[in-house]
Amino acid sequence: MAIKAAAVGVAVVAIIAAIIMGPSAFLVGDIGISGSNNLTVDGVVMPSQINTSGTLQNFIGGGLRMKWGFKVYVVGIYSDPKVMTSLKKKYSGFGANDSNLSDLATDFSKSKPAKTVLLRFQRGVAASDISDALGEALKPKVGAATSDDFQKFILDMVGGDRLEKGSDIYITCKGEKLSASLTGGKDASSISIKGLCPAIFEVYLGDKAVSPQAKKGFAEGVAAIMSS
Protein backbone atom coordinates (compact mmCIF):
# COMPACT_ATOMS: atom_id res chain seq x y z
CA MET A 1 0.00 0.00 0.00
CA ALA A 2 1.26 3.46 -0.85
CA ILE A 3 2.48 5.55 2.06
CA LYS A 4 1.21 9.14 1.92
CA ALA A 5 2.44 12.36 3.53
CA ALA A 6 1.93 16.07 2.96
CA ALA A 7 4.12 17.36 0.11
CA VAL A 8 4.36 16.13 -3.47
CA GLY A 9 7.71 14.69 -4.41
CA VAL A 10 9.49 15.06 -1.01
CA ALA A 11 11.93 12.16 -0.61
CA VAL A 12 12.91 10.21 2.46
CA VAL A 13 16.49 11.42 2.76
CA ALA A 14 17.72 8.38 4.68
CA ILE A 15 17.17 6.16 1.67
CA ILE A 16 17.95 8.55 -1.20
CA ALA A 17 21.00 6.42 -1.88
CA ALA A 18 18.59 3.71 -2.98
CA ILE A 19 17.16 6.09 -5.56
CA ILE A 20 20.60 6.87 -6.90
CA MET A 21 22.20 3.44 -6.71
CA GLY A 22 19.68 0.79 -5.85
CA PRO A 23 16.47 -0.75 -7.17
CA SER A 24 13.95 1.20 -5.10
CA ALA A 25 12.69 4.76 -4.88
CA PHE A 26 10.90 5.54 -1.64
CA LEU A 27 9.15 8.88 -1.78
CA VAL A 28 6.35 10.39 0.27
CA GLY A 29 3.52 12.83 -0.26
CA ASP A 30 1.59 12.21 -3.49
CA ILE A 31 4.58 10.08 -4.39
CA GLY A 32 4.82 7.01 -2.14
CA ILE A 33 6.06 3.47 -1.67
CA SER A 34 4.23 0.70 -3.54
CA GLY A 35 6.19 -2.53 -3.31
CA SER A 36 9.93 -3.05 -3.65
CA ASN A 37 10.28 -1.84 -7.24
CA ASN A 38 7.37 0.54 -7.66
CA LEU A 39 6.07 3.81 -6.25
CA THR A 40 2.88 5.80 -6.60
CA VAL A 41 2.42 9.23 -8.09
CA ASP A 42 -0.97 10.73 -7.28
CA GLY A 43 -2.19 7.20 -6.60
CA VAL A 44 -0.84 5.78 -9.86
CA VAL A 45 1.75 3.00 -9.66
CA MET A 46 5.00 3.91 -11.43
CA PRO A 47 8.33 2.06 -11.67
CA SER A 48 11.13 3.25 -9.41
CA GLN A 49 13.59 2.30 -12.15
CA ILE A 50 13.37 1.80 -15.91
CA ASN A 51 15.79 0.54 -18.54
CA THR A 52 15.61 2.30 -21.89
CA SER A 53 18.24 2.90 -24.56
CA GLY A 54 20.35 0.30 -22.77
CA THR A 55 20.59 2.41 -19.61
CA LEU A 56 19.17 1.84 -16.13
CA GLN A 57 17.51 5.06 -14.96
CA ASN A 58 16.11 6.12 -11.59
CA PHE A 59 12.93 8.00 -10.81
CA ILE A 60 13.50 11.64 -9.83
CA GLY A 61 10.01 13.13 -9.58
CA GLY A 62 6.68 13.45 -11.29
CA GLY A 63 3.07 14.54 -11.17
CA LEU A 64 -0.23 14.80 -12.99
CA ARG A 65 -0.83 16.39 -16.37
CA MET A 66 -4.25 18.03 -16.23
CA LYS A 67 -6.21 19.37 -19.20
CA TRP A 68 -9.60 21.08 -19.02
CA GLY A 69 -9.98 19.78 -15.47
CA PHE A 70 -9.36 16.13 -16.45
CA LYS A 71 -6.50 13.86 -15.40
CA VAL A 72 -4.83 13.00 -18.70
CA TYR A 73 -1.62 11.26 -17.67
CA VAL A 74 0.95 10.99 -14.91
CA VAL A 75 4.47 12.16 -15.76
CA GLY A 76 7.56 10.40 -14.42
CA ILE A 77 11.02 11.91 -14.92
CA TYR A 78 13.95 9.45 -14.89
CA SER A 79 17.66 9.71 -15.54
CA ASP A 80 20.95 7.86 -15.63
CA PRO A 81 22.52 8.38 -12.15
CA LYS A 82 25.41 10.14 -13.93
CA VAL A 83 23.13 13.11 -14.58
CA MET A 84 22.36 13.69 -10.92
CA THR A 85 25.97 13.07 -9.90
CA SER A 86 27.07 15.82 -12.27
CA LEU A 87 24.35 18.25 -11.19
CA LYS A 88 25.09 17.62 -7.53
CA LYS A 89 28.58 19.03 -8.02
CA LYS A 90 27.20 22.29 -9.41
CA TYR A 91 24.02 22.64 -7.35
CA SER A 92 25.02 21.23 -3.98
CA GLY A 93 22.57 22.46 -1.36
CA PHE A 94 19.79 23.06 -3.91
CA GLY A 95 16.33 23.51 -2.41
CA ALA A 96 13.03 22.87 -4.17
CA ASN A 97 12.06 26.56 -3.98
CA ASP A 98 15.46 27.96 -4.93
CA SER A 99 15.57 30.66 -7.59
CA ASN A 100 18.09 28.67 -9.66
CA LEU A 101 15.59 25.89 -10.44
CA SER A 102 15.36 27.23 -14.00
CA ASP A 103 19.13 26.92 -14.47
CA LEU A 104 19.18 23.43 -12.98
CA ALA A 105 16.27 22.29 -15.17
CA THR A 106 18.03 23.65 -18.25
CA ASP A 107 21.25 21.82 -17.37
CA PHE A 108 19.29 18.64 -16.75
CA SER A 109 17.46 18.99 -20.08
CA LYS A 110 20.73 19.54 -21.96
CA SER A 111 22.63 16.70 -20.27
CA LYS A 112 23.87 13.95 -22.60
CA PRO A 113 23.39 10.73 -20.56
CA ALA A 114 20.07 8.92 -20.87
CA LYS A 115 16.97 10.49 -19.37
CA THR A 116 13.30 9.67 -19.87
CA VAL A 117 9.84 11.15 -19.65
CA LEU A 118 7.33 8.39 -18.93
CA LEU A 119 3.68 9.26 -19.63
CA ARG A 120 1.17 6.87 -18.03
CA PHE A 121 -2.33 7.64 -19.29
CA GLN A 122 -5.25 7.98 -16.91
CA ARG A 123 -7.93 8.17 -19.57
CA GLY A 124 -8.36 7.03 -23.16
CA VAL A 125 -7.25 9.67 -25.64
CA ALA A 126 -6.89 9.98 -29.39
CA ALA A 127 -3.28 9.50 -30.47
CA SER A 128 -3.60 12.59 -32.65
CA ASP A 129 -4.64 14.69 -29.62
CA ILE A 130 -1.49 13.69 -27.74
CA SER A 131 0.82 14.25 -30.70
CA ASP A 132 -0.83 17.61 -31.42
CA ALA A 133 -0.54 18.73 -27.78
CA LEU A 134 3.13 17.76 -27.59
CA GLY A 135 3.79 19.41 -30.94
CA GLU A 136 2.15 22.66 -29.88
CA ALA A 137 4.17 22.74 -26.66
CA LEU A 138 7.37 22.15 -28.64
CA LYS A 139 6.71 24.67 -31.39
CA PRO A 140 7.89 27.81 -29.52
CA LYS A 141 11.09 25.97 -28.57
CA VAL A 142 12.10 24.25 -31.84
CA GLY A 143 9.96 25.80 -34.58
CA ALA A 144 7.11 24.51 -36.70
CA ALA A 145 9.11 22.16 -38.92
CA THR A 146 10.71 20.19 -36.08
CA SER A 147 7.44 20.22 -34.16
CA ASP A 148 5.62 18.74 -37.17
CA ASP A 149 8.33 16.09 -37.59
CA PHE A 150 7.97 15.09 -33.95
CA GLN A 151 4.17 14.90 -34.18
CA LYS A 152 4.42 12.54 -37.15
CA PHE A 153 7.10 10.51 -35.37
CA ILE A 154 4.84 10.01 -32.32
CA LEU A 155 1.82 9.08 -34.44
CA ASP A 156 3.87 6.55 -36.42
CA MET A 157 5.28 5.11 -33.19
CA VAL A 158 1.84 4.73 -31.59
CA GLY A 159 0.59 2.99 -34.71
CA GLY A 160 -3.09 3.31 -33.83
CA ASP A 161 -5.94 5.76 -33.38
CA ARG A 162 -6.12 5.72 -29.57
CA LEU A 163 -4.15 5.32 -26.40
CA GLU A 164 -6.28 3.56 -23.82
CA LYS A 165 -6.25 4.18 -20.07
CA GLY A 166 -3.15 2.55 -18.59
CA SER A 167 -1.11 2.95 -21.77
CA ASP A 168 2.47 4.23 -21.54
CA ILE A 169 4.68 6.35 -23.74
CA TYR A 170 8.40 6.30 -22.93
CA ILE A 171 10.37 9.17 -24.46
CA THR A 172 14.09 8.72 -23.90
CA CYS A 173 16.93 11.02 -24.90
CA LYS A 174 20.57 10.01 -25.05
CA GLY A 175 22.72 12.68 -26.62
CA GLU A 176 20.78 14.00 -29.62
CA LYS A 177 18.99 10.67 -30.21
CA LEU A 178 15.36 10.52 -29.11
CA SER A 179 13.70 7.12 -28.78
CA ALA A 180 10.02 6.51 -28.09
CA SER A 181 8.21 3.33 -27.18
CA LEU A 182 4.94 2.01 -25.82
CA THR A 183 6.70 -0.98 -24.24
CA GLY A 184 9.26 0.38 -21.85
CA GLY A 185 12.06 0.90 -24.32
CA LYS A 186 11.67 -2.33 -26.27
CA ASP A 187 11.15 -2.08 -30.04
CA ALA A 188 11.67 1.66 -29.78
CA SER A 189 11.44 4.05 -32.71
CA SER A 190 14.09 6.77 -32.85
CA ILE A 191 14.72 10.17 -34.38
CA SER A 192 17.67 12.59 -34.22
CA ILE A 193 17.03 16.32 -34.64
CA LYS A 194 19.36 18.87 -33.10
CA GLY A 195 17.74 20.67 -30.18
CA LEU A 196 14.73 18.33 -29.93
CA CYS A 197 15.86 16.43 -26.82
CA PRO A 198 16.41 19.45 -24.56
CA ALA A 199 13.11 20.90 -25.78
CA ILE A 200 11.16 17.76 -24.77
CA PHE A 201 12.33 18.09 -21.19
CA GLU A 202 11.77 21.86 -21.19
CA VAL A 203 8.12 21.11 -22.01
CA TYR A 204 7.83 19.55 -18.54
CA LEU A 205 10.53 21.41 -16.61
CA GLY A 206 10.77 24.82 -18.29
CA ASP A 207 9.28 28.17 -17.30
CA LYS A 208 5.98 27.32 -18.99
CA ALA A 209 5.80 23.67 -17.95
CA VAL A 210 2.65 21.88 -19.15
CA SER A 211 2.47 20.04 -15.82
CA PRO A 212 3.32 22.28 -12.85
CA GLN A 213 2.80 19.24 -10.59
CA ALA A 214 5.48 17.26 -12.43
CA LYS A 215 7.90 20.18 -12.33
CA LYS A 216 7.32 20.58 -8.60
CA GLY A 217 7.79 16.85 -8.04
CA PHE A 218 11.03 16.98 -10.03
CA ALA A 219 12.33 19.96 -8.03
CA GLU A 220 11.54 18.32 -4.71
CA GLY A 221 13.04 15.02 -5.78
CA VAL A 222 16.24 16.73 -6.91
CA ALA A 223 16.40 18.71 -3.66
CA ALA A 224 16.16 15.51 -1.64
CA ILE A 225 18.93 13.89 -3.68
CA MET A 226 21.11 16.98 -3.26
CA SER A 227 20.71 16.85 0.50
CA SER A 228 21.67 13.18 0.79
Side-chain angles (χ1 to χ4, degrees), residues 15 69 74 79 81 85 87 100 128 131 134 137 146 168 182 211 213 217:
I15 49 179
V74 167
S79 78
T85 298
L87 290 178
N100 60 348
S128 59
S131 66
L134 289 172
T146 295
D168 293 335
L182 302 176
S211 171
Q213 296 97 321

Side-chain angles (χ1 to χ4, degrees), residues 58-161:
N58 296 316
F59 179 86
I60 299 173
L64 275 173
R65 166 67 165 123
M66 303 287 292
K67 186 74 171 179
W68 299 309
F70 295 104
K71 298 179 180 180
V72 183
Y73 54 76
V74 167
V75 182
I77 307 291
Y78 298 79
S79 78
D80 184 326
K82 293 176 183 177
V83 177
M84 297 313 302
T85 298
S86 176
L87 290 178
K88 194 170 184 179
K89 295 175 183 177
K90 183 176 180 179
Y91 295 97
S92 179
F94 171 82
N97 297 313
D98 284 2
S99 59
N100 60 348
L101 171 59
S102 179
D103 292 337
L104 185 149
T106 296
D107 286 346
F108 178 88
S109 299
K110 291 181 176 179
S111 61
K112 298 302 182 184
K115 52 193 180 295
T116 297
V117 174
L118 167 56
L119 312 180
R120 182 155 288 178
F121 287 84
Q122 299 309 293
R123 60 189 300 111
V125 293
S128 59
D129 287 347
I130 292 301
S131 66
D132 289 351
L134 289 172
E136 283 302 308
L138 280 171
K139 193 174 293 183
K141 306 176 189 305
V142 295
T146 295
S147 172
D148 290 347
D149 287 345
F150 180 75
Q151 287 179 243
K152 183 178 185 303
F153 167 75
I154 289 295
L155 279 176
D156 290 345
M157 184 276 296
V158 171
D161 294 332

Side-chain angles (χ1 to χ4, degrees), residues 7-27:
V8 177
V10 177
V12 180
V13 173
I15 49 179
I16 283 296
I19 300 177
I20 301 173
M21 301 300 296
S24 301
F26 297 94
L27 303 180

Side-chain angles (χ1 to χ4, degrees), residues 197-208:
C197 276
I200 288 290
F201 285 87
E202 287 289 335
V203 165
Y204 294 97
L205 304 177
D207 293 338
K208 296 182 179 180

Side-chain angles (χ1 to χ4, degrees), residues 185-200:
K186 300 176 182 177
D187 303 320
S189 302
S190 62
I191 187 172
S192 294
I193 301 176
K194 186 174 178 60
L196 178 58
C197 276
I200 288 290

